[in-house]
């Protein structure tokens, strides 16, 4: 959960698709979708916190608020059988 | 005019011989919302957009070519030592039959690049909204590839590229805010 300039948001949302008993695949359970920080920023206000220059080059953004590390949300439940 | 720096925007490292990942990455090379489409789309829209946002399109369009170069490097590294059999098993048999190991502008399914992927409507809001959508679609593509990839070094580069999509989308959204501002109206306080 990020918290900056008063607003808080989560960078990932979930929903559960309907699963009928006639659907052949095992239910995937939750579906995930990314909601990155820029969706919550509006016009960037002045004075946001910055990464040090070298670090910014590695992260892909100068602005701490806009940094959003992406991890495969399905990683933990890779199916070993099937 | 452009100035070329003979280095990549972000170092490209690949740790496994995995031509299947190269196939997926072709979506970002010659696909509808790939880096080539992005660069051509933005650089072309510059001529018919209000002055205030021309510079943004130039900067982002130029950066997309730097991304294209990174994707090309990734694809090349993932396939350069692969045998024809390995390429065939990775679903790149058709690619090999036509191109050998050469890169080509087509998407992950082998459909060649077309200018029909991009638009220039001439309406600044319509064009910027298309640009925002393109950035979000490219971001999603990077996510799906990261989800399928188990190469940590490659994913590191892909995460950098995804972050750039986030920043570009933010800047295009700000461009819309600039253009919709009521600057012609007289303000009376």
């Amino acid at each position: 959960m990020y918290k900056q300039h008063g607003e808080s948001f989560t960078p990932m949302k979930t929903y559960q698709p309907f699963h009928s008993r006639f659907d052949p695949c095992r239910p995937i359970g939750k579906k995930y979708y990314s909601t990155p920080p820029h969706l919550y920023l509006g016009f960037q206000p002045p004075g946001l916190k910055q990464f040090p220059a070298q670090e910014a080059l590695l992260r892909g953004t100068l602005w701490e608020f806009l940094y959003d590390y992406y991890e495969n949300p399905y990683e933990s439940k890779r199916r070993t059988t099937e | 005019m452009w100035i070329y720096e003979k280095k990549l925007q972000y170092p490209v490292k690949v740790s496994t011989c995995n031509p299947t990942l190269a196939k997926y990455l072709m979506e970002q090379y010659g696909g509808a919302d790939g880096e080539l489409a992005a660069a051509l789309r933005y650089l072309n829209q510059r001529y018919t957009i209000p002055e205030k946002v021309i510079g943004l399109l130039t900067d982002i369009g130029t950066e997309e070519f730097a991304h294209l170069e990174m994707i090309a490097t990734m694809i090349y590294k993932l396939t350069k030592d692969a045998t024809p059999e390995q390429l065939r098993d990775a679903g790149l048999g058709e690619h090999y039959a036509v191109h050998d190991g050469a890169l080509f502008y087509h998407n992950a399914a082998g459909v060649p690049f077309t200018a029909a992927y991009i638009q220039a409507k001439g309406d600044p809001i319509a064009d910027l909204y298309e640009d925002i959508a393109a950035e979000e679609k490219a971001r999603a593509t990077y996510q799906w590839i990261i989800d399928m990839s188990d190469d940590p070094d490659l994913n590191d580069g892909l995460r950098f590229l995804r972050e750039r999509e986030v920043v570009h989308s933010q800047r295009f959204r700000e461009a819309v805010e600039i253009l919709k501002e009521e600057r012609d109206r007289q303000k009376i306080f």
Side-chain angles (χ1 to χ4, degrees), chain A residues 32 34-39 41-44 56-63 66-75 78, chain B residues 9-11 136 139 142-144 146-150 156 159-160 162-167 169-171 173-175 177-178:
Chain A
Y32 294 84
S34 173
T35 49
H38 68 282
L39 300 181
L41 186 58
F43 203 100
Q44 184 174 328
L57 286 174
L58 281 173
R59 289 183 187 261
T61 179
L62 180 59
W63 308 99
L66 286 176
Y67 181 66
D68 182 45
Y69 183 85
Y70 179 78
E71 192 76 76
N72 175 9
Y74 304 98
E75 185 84 324
R78 266 205 187 148
Chain B
Q9 191 189 2
Y10 187 89
E136 302 298 349
R139 170 181 62 74
Y142 282 123
Q143 290 168 197
W144 310 156
I146 290 170
D147 288 354
M148 287 187 290
S149 154
D150 47 12
D156 185 54
R159 285 199 177 96
F160 173 88
R162 177 185 175 275
E163 180 63 41
R164 296 310 298 156
E165 308 293 340
V166 168
V167 175
S169 175
Q170 169 67 21
R171 301 303 169 227
R173 285 160 197 263
E174 286 167 352
E177 294 305 312
I178 289 171

Side-chain angles (χ1 to χ4, degrees), chain B residues 11 22 31 69 82 87 104 117 165 175-177:
Chain B
E69 201 178 33
L87 291 173
F104 192 67
Y117 285 155
E165 308 293 340
V176 172
E177 294 305 312

Side-chain angles (χ1 to χ4, degrees), chain B residues 38-171:
Chain B
L40 298 180
R41 179 188 292 117
Y42 307 152
L43 293 176
N44 180 252
Q45 286 174 357
R46 293 183 294 169
Y47 299 93
T48 49
I49 206 140
E51 229 172 307
K52 279 187 166 178
V53 300
I54 293 176
L56 180 75
L57 286 170
T58 307
D59 288 354
I60 298 184
T62 301
E63 189 182 335
E64 303 297 358
F65 276 128
H67 295 173
L68 187 70
E69 201 178 33
M70 285 177 61
I71 297 290
T73 307
M74 290 173 178
I75 294 173
Y76 176 68
K77 284 191 178 218
L78 286 164
T79 53
K80 69 185 263 286
D81 293 312
T83 63
E85 289 73 29
Q86 281 175 310
L87 291 173
R88 188 195 54 208
D89 294 346
L92 286 171
E94 293 83 353
H95 181 96
Y96 182 80
V98 185
H99 304 289
D100 185 11
L103 275 70
F104 192 67
Y105 293 114
H106 57 202
N107 72 7
V111 180
F113 183 82
T114 161
Y117 285 155
I118 63 176
Q119 253 302 351
K121 191 49 71 176
D123 178 272
I125 302 301
D127 281 348
L128 284 169
Y129 273 36
E130 173 177 320
D131 301 346
I132 293 167
E135 295 291 337
E136 302 298 349
K137 285 186 274 182
R139 170 181 62 74
T141 305
Y142 282 123
Q143 290 168 197
W144 310 156
I145 297 175
I146 290 170
D147 288 354
M148 287 187 290
S149 154
D150 47 12
D151 185 327
D153 287 324
L154 183 77
N155 281 354
D156 185 54
L158 295 178
R159 285 199 177 96
F160 173 88
L161 290 168
R162 177 185 175 275
E163 180 63 41
R164 296 310 298 156
E165 308 293 340
V166 168
V167 175
H168 290 170
S169 175
Q170 169 67 21
R171 301 303 169 227

